[in-house]
Amino acid sequence: MTDRSSTALKARTAVDAAARLRSAVNRISRRLRPTRAGAGFTPTQISVLETVAKRGPIRLSDLASVEGMNPTMLSRVARKLEDTGLIRRHPHPVDGRAALLEMTGSGRRLFEHIRTERTDQLSVELEALRDEERRLVIDALPVLERLAEQLRDRKTR
């Protein structure tokens, strides 16, 4: 095999691995989304709730950037979460043009219930794996976490 064909094969293998990883992560995420606690909420609403829980109080503009949503759509989602008493909007203390979103007690409890259900569901599935498979998943976690941070950092550049 020539150096050129070896390089092409490595590149094709990396692209295939990236596609498989993206597909697997998406399938896992979709299958963990439905929860009893989150019934009646869209995946987008739950994602916004999670982001406000983790990063709040947060400006609407920053939330739109993190969520990759246009401000109009985000405003509708935020209004729905406000109307259900899960988040509250208040003026920014320094910038009177901006608003901040933060969790309410009800929002925090719902977020915790959803997170617990998803974690419990994944824990059951991890325990069902063979010992060597479970070890491989656990050993891969630091690399996957680093990859997630790299992807987050790339979005903000």
Side-chain angles (χ1 to χ4, degrees):
M1 191 178 320
T2 67
D3 285 342
R4 180 179 275 171
S5 61
S6 174
T7 301
L9 178 61
K10 286 179 184 175
R12 206 170 40 249
T13 301
V15 169
D16 290 346
R20 289 177 60 202
L21 177 59
R22 180 192 48 74
S23 179
V25 167
N26 283 339
R27 284 192 317 267
I28 291 167
S29 179
R30 271 193 314 274
R31 290 173 183 153
L32 288 174
R33 281 186 194 152
T35 61
R36 279 186 227 110
F41 294 96
T42 67
T44 300
Q45 290 167 337
I46 291 172
S47 180
V48 167
L49 184 68
E50 289 174 334
T51 300
V52 173
K54 292 175 183 174
R55 298 183 181 215
I58 186 170
R59 289 174 182 250
L60 277 166
S61 58
D62 294 337
L63 181 58
S65 176
V66 169
E67 288 293 321
M69 295 175 67
N70 73 53
T72 303
M73 174 60 92
L74 176 62
S75 187
R76 286 186 200 128
V77 171
R79 192 172 310 114
K80 171 73 173 172
L81 295 173
E82 278 183 281
D83 290 347
T84 57
L86 301 175
I87 63 173
R88 80 171 67 63
R89 184 185 314 230
H90 57 85
H92 191 283
V94 177
D95 183 356
R97 299 168 297 159
L100 294 174
L101 296 178
E102 66 180 346
M103 300 292 286
T104 63
S106 296
R108 174 87 39 215
R109 284 187 296 280
L110 177 63
F111 168 70
E112 292 298 331
H113 286 305
I114 291 169
R115 187 167 66 176
T116 298
E117 281 185 51
R118 289 176 175 173
T119 300
D120 291 349
Q121 182 183 2
L122 194 52
S123 292
V124 167
E125 298 307 325
L126 281 170
E127 284 300 314
L129 294 175
R130 293 190 323 261
D131 288 344
E132 67 236 26
E133 291 172 323
R134 188 171 38 262
R135 172 61 38 212
L136 286 169
V137 171
I138 291 168
D139 288 347
L141 288 174
V143 176
L144 292 170
E145 290 164 343
R146 198 164 46 253
L147 180 59
E149 291 302 310
Q150 284 175 228
L151 290 168
R152 185 202 70 206
D153 293 346
R154 177 164 290 151
K155 272 188 141 176
T156 59
R157 285 185 225 159

